[in-house]
């Protein structure tokens, strides 16, 4: 469906600015705004409803290739801990090399 609207220049500028900040075409941004109006009119009233809404919007849930989220979290944690230790060793080595120690 196509709809033509005469928007006030200020509103048009706001929509274009907000859309560009999200790297979206203005038409897609307006569709997103319109799709949330139902949630604003009838917001989730319980935690379960909120979680269901977030799931329907793709905000939460693991990607399909992650079958064990705890194991994946442990793997990420290990990678970060290892990376930080390696970075510190390189940093300390660089400092001692530059000072001639």
């Amino acid at each position: 469906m196509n709809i033509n609207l005469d928007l006030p220049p200020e509103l048009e500028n706001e929509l274009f600015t907000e859309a560009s900040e999200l790297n979206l075409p203005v038409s897609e941004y307006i569709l997103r705004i319109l799709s949330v109006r139902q949630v604003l009119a009838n917001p989730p009233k319980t935690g379960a409803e909120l979680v269901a809404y977030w799931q329907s919007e793709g905000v939460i849930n693991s990607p399909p290739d992650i079958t064990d989220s705890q194991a994946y979290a442990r793997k990420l944690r290990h990678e970060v801990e290892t990376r930080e230790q390696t970075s510190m060793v390189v940093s300390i080595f660089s400092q001692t090399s530059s000072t001639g120690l």
Side-chain angles (χ1 to χ4, degrees):
M1 170 195 297
N2 290 323
I3 298 175
N4 292 319
L5 299 172
D6 291 323
L7 299 174
E10 304 84 31
L11 179 57
E12 184 178 352
N13 289 336
E14 285 178 33
L15 290 171
F16 274 99
T17 300
E18 292 167 8
S20 68
E21 288 172 356
L22 297 170
N23 295 321
L24 293 173
V26 74
S27 58
E28 185 177 333
Y29 179 65
I30 291 171
L31 283 173
R32 287 185 179 194
I33 291 172
L34 292 172
S35 67
V36 241
R37 78 187 190 298
Q38 295 170 340
V39 174
L40 296 175
N42 185 23
K45 293 172 183 57
T46 66
E49 288 178 359
L50 183 60
V51 168
Y53 170 70
W54 285 342
Q55 287 174 329
S56 71
E57 293 297 312
V59 175
I60 58 174
N61 267 347
S62 296
D65 60 325
I66 299 174
T67 55
D68 183 349
S69 60
Q70 291 180 345
Y72 184 73
R74 281 191 296 274
K75 177 181 173 267
L76 286 178
R77 188 177 309 110
H78 175 72
E79 289 174 4
V80 169
E81 290 170 348
T82 304
R83 182 184 66 221
E84 288 175 1
Q85 290 171 357
T86 304
S87 298
M88 271 201 295
V89 169
V90 169
S91 175
I92 291 169
F93 179 75
S94 298
Q95 290 174 357
T96 56
S97 296
S98 65
T99 60
L101 296 176

